[in-house]
Amino acid sequence: MRNEDGKKNDDYVDSLLHAFHVQFFAMNRQSVMPWESLEEILQTSDTSVIQDILQKTVLHPLCKKYPPSVKYRKIFLTELIKKHEATAAEPDDMLYEALAAVLCTEESTLCYKSYLLPTGESVTLCESIAAISEGTTGLVTWEAALCTAEWSIENPHLFSDRTVLELGSGAGLTGIVLCKTCHPRKYIFTDCHPSVLQGLRKNILINGFLLDSTSWDQTTVDFPNTSCAWSKELSVSVRRLDWATATEEKLSQLQADVVIATDVVYDPEIIPYLINVFYMLLTSRSDKTQPVIYVASTVRNPDTYQLFKDKLDNSGIGQEILPRPEKVLFPYDWASDIEILKLELEKKSDSYVNATI
């Protein structure tokens, strides 16, 4: 029978392997990976944990199908080799073979990031390796999207059996997580940039959802429809929505019960259009009911964010700051200044229609 110390050590190693797995596939900053913990283990046990890490990362089936960028894998393996060489153990051929395979791989402008859900399944996204690509920021996942995904997992009752509209869906992380964990009746992804819409559709299909025929009215993509248990019970669509040209008639047709938007407050010039869309959504439903709007923002520029909140006040849209998720599920800088707002119309102002434009 194993003693208690042995069990604690096994639990520690399992925790370490899980941390490497989660952070590697999300392409988290390698400086925050548990390298020091690995060094401690290597000082007190054999080097077999190195091969365990390989199996959880570079040699994992997920990496073969949806790999992080070549540069990321190269840096990761180089550091892992350094840790192994510092032990004075015999060279590990598997490490060098893995690095050689990566060095022979041509770098792409795209990579894959995968995020582990509490259920054990993953959400995989194809993203640009550059933060700004093709003139848009919508080809990568931003921190507020990760925070909102965690928050939605903790509050599934807000979305269950409802029609959810997402503004500025980007790469699609928040919506895909919400669709997999919160059981909405209908989910409408929206964005404006053609390349973002193309990538968004691809990511939705990668994760096993079927798209409604209405999702193909702008730009078609050649991906096979794959089915899964929950996609049969959920209507998923992708729509092009330009905030500057959105009309009350078009928005009212969506009949949204809940609206979410993440990291959409970054440019002072688009704030009036965004708030006008919020106002029309809050006042345009044919049954006169108000949807609830949730906006999550990483406050990078306090002046821009304050401008957004001031214009909300001026439009008669009330704000309530909601608590952030209690549990961190995804790797990102949790210390970032992220705020989640709940927006509702305080009272209808007849003088406010397009008044922010």
Side-chain angles (χ1 to χ4, degrees), residues 70 73 101-108:
V70 170
R73 284 177 284 155
V102 171
L103 292 175
C104 292
T105 304
E106 185 177 351
E107 183 68 271
S108 169

Side-chain angles (χ1 to χ4, degrees), residues 270-316:
I270 66 172
I271 287 175
Y273 299 111
L274 175 61
I275 292 180
N276 193 51
V277 168
F278 287 157
Y279 187 86
M280 288 190 290
L281 285 166
L282 288 167
T283 58
S284 65
R285 279 191 56 140
S286 57
D287 58 6
K288 305 302 180 182
T289 59
Q290 282 188 38
V292 180
I293 300 176
Y294 300 103
V295 183
S297 304
T298 306
V299 184
R300 299 181 180 87
N301 186 320
D303 291 338
T304 299
Y305 191 61
Q306 189 59 50
L307 174 66
F308 169 67
K309 298 182 80 171
D310 289 344
K311 286 191 173 293
L312 284 173
D313 288 336
N314 294 338
S315 70

